[in-house]
């Protein structure tokens, strides 16, 4: 059984509130020592409650000029496309807080995927502190798909967990959609790593991963959890089989 810290809250709103508290705690701690808090956020629908909460409750209590926002992954679509992770966060959070444009480091979904992966890797090397010569985020927020993927590291692309490159292209296994993703090596170099997983649809994979049973070895999220000391924030629905 995985030994990761599990934080289970009643519902997705309470889970998002706990994650917002974690962000504020790490942000305050980091700003005692340096000028910026570097966070990498995932896409999908789960984090949207968190982004809304940050925009509504923390828009004035956080000095957003000290916040730098990066992405864990991006769909290779235009930023105005409904599928765009950046586009979603822009609408819910960025447009509702006072954060300088230069603090937003979006992956350019509209660009050539291979070129953008190289560009983004160079950006991370330039703007983040290096620990063991690898850029380090203060916090990386991850989700997990019903198929056990995380970031855009899918079960049929496990090599992205160990790639020596920091940012790679990927492809959604069923839709064929091109993606850009941080690799396991970069994700695991984070000072703090947190999965945010809510909803009944995740309960079976959560149970398999935490109890290391059935298909757990096919799930990229398992390897990040087991190898990289991630905290796992759940709601009761996602934790219902534990
Ligand atoms: C993405 C995400 C992806 C997401 C999971 C969970 O771009 O889709 O980065 O890894 O975190 O698919 O998505 P939901 O939160 O929508 O279930």
């Amino acid at each position: 059984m995985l030994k990761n810290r599990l934080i289970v809250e009643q519902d997705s709103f309470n889970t998002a509130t706990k994650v917002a508290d974690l962000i504020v705690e790490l942000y305050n701690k980091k700003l005692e020592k340096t000028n910026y808090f570097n966070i990498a956020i995932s896409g999908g629908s789960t984090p949207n409650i968190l982004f809304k909460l940050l925009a509504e409750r923390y828009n004035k209590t956080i000095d957003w000029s000290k916040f730098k926002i990066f992405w864990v992954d991006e769909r290779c679509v235009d930023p105005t496309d409904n599928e765009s992770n950046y586009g979603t966060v822009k609408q819910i959070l960025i447009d509702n807080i006072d954060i300088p444009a230069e603090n937003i480091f979006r992956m350019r979904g509209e660009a050539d995927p291979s070129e953008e992966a190289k560009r983004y890797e160079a950006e991370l090397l330039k703007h983040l502190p290096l620990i063991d010569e690898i850029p380090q985020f203060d916090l990386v927020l991850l989700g997990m798909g019903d198929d056990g993927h995380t970031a855009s590291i899918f079960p049929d692309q496990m090599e992205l967990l160990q790639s020596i490159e920091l940012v790679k292209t990927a492809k959604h296994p069923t839709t064929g959609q091109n993606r850009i993703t941080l690799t396991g090596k970069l994700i695991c170099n984070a000072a703090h790593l947190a999965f945010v997983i809510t909803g009944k649809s995740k309960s079976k994979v959560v149970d398999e991963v935490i109890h290391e049973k059935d298909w757990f070895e096919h799930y990229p999220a398992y390897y990040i959890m087991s190898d990289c000391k991630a905290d796992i924030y759940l709601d009761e629905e996602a934790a219902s089989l534990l």
Side-chain angles (χ1 to χ4, degrees), residues 1 22 28-29 44 52 59 67 69 84 108 117 128 141 184 191 194 200 231:
M1 178 168 179
L22 171 70
N28 288 330
K29 218 181 281 176
K52 193 166 179 303
N59 57 346
F67 229 82
I69 302 179
S84 168
R108 296 172 185 167
L128 292 175
L141 293 180
K200 193 97 182 118
D231 290 340

Side-chain angles (χ1 to χ4, degrees), residues 42-47 73 75 85 143-145 149-152 179 202:
S42 283
S45 55
T46 302
D73 64 336
R75 292 84 180 275
N85 288 338
M144 184 181 73
H149 82 262
T150 189
S152 282
R179 300 280 186 99
K202 308 291 172 75

